[in-house]
Amino acid sequence: MGLSNTERKLRIRRRIRKISSGTEARPRLSVFRSNKEIYAQLIDDVNGKTLASSSSRDKGIDAKGTKTEVANAVGKAIAEKAKKAGIETVAFDRGGNLYHGRVKSLADGAREAGLKF
């Protein structure tokens, strides 16, 4: 019998986390996607601190439109917060999700706003 979707996602997440880690100069852009919302964090794994975060539940994000449009707005918002913190490059962590749909839209929004990864 094959793996369930959650087991598969956890296995992929562990495989990604073995390789990528964030530093203060190049933090990890972690993405969490639920059924309704999407969240992004800039994490310094060396010191164990979150440098910036943004989500579709923030007051500055317009939650109207499709989920992919909202994800794009969250990507732009996290990129703006990263620029204010003096961060230009990040390591992208898709969190076990496929690089497709909302996760890709968030990444594209962050790139449009000037974040490099």
Side-chain angles (χ1 to χ4, degrees), residues 3-18:
L3 296 174
S4 70
N5 287 340
T6 54
E7 290 170 335
R8 183 190 135 277
K9 187 175 178 179
L10 283 174
R11 203 179 259 193
I12 293 170
R13 182 180 290 159
R14 281 191 214 111
R15 198 178 327 137
I16 291 170
R17 288 293 292 123
K18 274 195 290 189

Side-chain angles (χ1 to χ4, degrees), residues 11 15 22-23 36 38 40 42 55 60-61 68 73-74 79 86 88 98-99 105 108 110-111 115 117:
R11 203 179 259 193
R15 198 178 327 137
T23 62
K36 289 184 178 181
I38 191 157
L42 291 174
S55 75
I61 305 293
T68 53
V74 170
E88 294 181 6
L98 295 176
Y99 186 78
S105 179
D108 290 341
R111 280 193 189 105
L115 212 54
F117 50 95

Side-chain angles (χ1 to χ4, degrees), residues 67-111:
K67 291 179 186 177
T68 53
E69 291 169 354
V70 172
N72 194 301
V74 170
K76 289 178 182 176
I78 194 72
E80 293 299 321
K81 290 181 181 182
K83 280 188 173 182
K84 286 181 185 174
I87 299 165
E88 294 181 6
T89 60
V90 295
F92 190 69
D93 176 11
R94 56 191 171 93
N97 298 302
L98 295 176
Y99 186 78
H100 175 70
R102 288 192 278 161
V103 175
K104 184 179 182 204
S105 179
L106 187 139
D108 290 341
R111 280 193 189 105

Side-chain angles (χ1 to χ4, degrees), residues 5-63:
N5 287 340
T6 54
E7 290 170 335
R8 183 190 135 277
K9 187 175 178 179
L10 283 174
R11 203 179 259 193
I12 293 170
R13 182 180 290 159
R14 281 191 214 111
R15 198 178 327 137
I16 291 170
R17 288 293 292 123
K18 274 195 290 189
I19 298 167
S20 75
S21 72
T23 62
E24 195 169 346
R26 188 171 188 251
R28 178 169 55 97
L29 175 59
S30 175
V31 176
F32 174 75
R33 181 182 65 92
S34 71
N35 285 338
K36 289 184 178 181
E37 313 289 344
I38 191 157
Y39 306 85
Q41 287 183 329
L42 291 174
I43 303 170
D44 175 10
D45 290 314
V46 175
N47 297 323
K49 292 190 176 185
T50 299
L51 305 175
S53 67
S54 182
S55 75
S56 56
R57 302 187 71 179
D58 289 348
K59 295 199 189 283
I61 305 293
D62 186 23

